[in-house]
Amino acid sequence: MLSSKASSSLNKQIELEAYSSQYYLSMASWAETQGLNEVSTFLYEQADEERMHMLKLIKFVNERGGHGIVPALKQPPVTFKSVKSVFEEVLNHEIKVTEEINGLVEITLKEKDYTTHNFLQWYVSEQIEEEALARQIVDKLKLIGSDKSGLYFFDRDLESMAAKTKSDIDKVNGSGR
Ligand code: OFO
């Protein structure tokens, strides 16, 4: 059975994952309007992944005798300065999510809630993967600078880059998803 502290902290995380999904969805929609097809496909996928993270938490909270609360939708930003600024925002957001997950892990240790602690390890690994991917993309965009043809190739390569990074990280972790 979840303590009320663990339950409310997990519900806060549900809200953050839901917001992450909305945020990336908004980025995807913006990128699509800019003709950046692969960037938008990539971001639509990220939005779906974040929704899956939210669902996984809701189900866990409910299984442990709590109540996973579906949060109200918050309006994310609608327009973005550039592709680079989009991915900088993704990276900063992922860093924030990692901090929140670490905070949750700390709570479970204080409360000696080893079941939730164990459950959260999946999120710890996921954050390593997502931060690394966002950082790699931002680094690539820094190299491209304002070169328009570079941006064209970046858009084309984004899909394979995401797949490769994921498989590299899976190899390092010795697991798939
Ligand atoms: Fe939910 O994984 Fe990143 O934010």
Side-chain angles (χ1 to χ4, degrees):
M1 180 89 188
L2 281 175
S3 69
S4 63
K5 169 124 179 121
S7 178
S8 70
S9 307
L10 288 168
N11 267 306
K12 266 176 65 189
Q13 190 62 33
I14 288 170
E15 196 175 343
L16 185 56
E17 300 293 344
Y19 182 72
S20 304
S21 181
Q22 289 291 101
Y23 195 13
Y24 297 164
L25 189 58
S26 185
M27 290 173 177
S29 178
W30 174 81
E32 198 163 42
T33 67
Q34 306 299 304
L36 296 158
N37 296 339
E38 294 309 330
V39 171
S40 90
T41 301
F42 175 84
L43 290 164
Y44 279 127
E45 271 170 24
Q46 295 299 307
D48 282 350
E49 253 194 71
E50 296 300 344
R51 185 171 187 279
M52 183 269 284
H53 297 170
M54 174 194 69
L55 283 177
K56 202 173 160 83
L57 276 159
I58 289 176
K59 286 174 186 261
F60 177 78
V61 170
N62 291 343
E63 272 165 18
R64 305 265 344 270
H67 184 181
I69 308 293
V70 177
L73 296 178
K74 255 191 278 173
Q75 172 76 66
V78 174
T79 56
F80 301 88
K81 233 172 59 202
S82 62
V83 177
K84 184 160 159 273
S85 78
V86 163
F87 284 102
E88 281 167 349
E89 286 189 39
V90 170
L91 177 57
N92 289 336
H93 186 70
E94 290 300 332
I95 290 170
K96 181 181 161 201
V97 173
T98 300
E99 282 167 10
E100 295 300 322
I101 294 286
N102 290 342
L104 268 176
V105 170
E106 211 174 301
I107 289 169
T108 60
L109 285 178
K110 277 197 194 122
E111 301 222 324
K112 298 193 178 6
D113 179 352
Y114 301 115
T115 309
T116 306
H117 183 269
N118 186 46
F119 167 77
L120 287 172
Q121 296 315 302
W122 184 87
Y123 286 84
V124 170
S125 310
E126 183 71 9
Q127 284 310 119
I128 295 171
E129 185 180 311
E130 291 193 340
E131 262 193 52
L133 180 57
R135 202 165 272 119
Q136 190 192 9
I137 293 171
V138 168
D139 286 347
K140 210 167 182 122
L141 284 164
K142 278 185 190 152
L143 281 176
I144 291 170
S146 56
D147 177 358
K148 282 257 191 284
S149 62
L151 199 56
Y152 170 78
F153 287 113
F154 167 80
D155 183 58
R156 244 188 33 179
D157 290 353
L158 193 57
E159 208 172 354
S160 58
M161 196 171 129
K164 184 183 177 307
T165 305
K166 186 184 175 317
S167 88
D168 285 352
I169 292 170
D170 284 349
K171 265 185 233 146
V172 171
N173 290 340
S175 67
R177 239 192 315 133

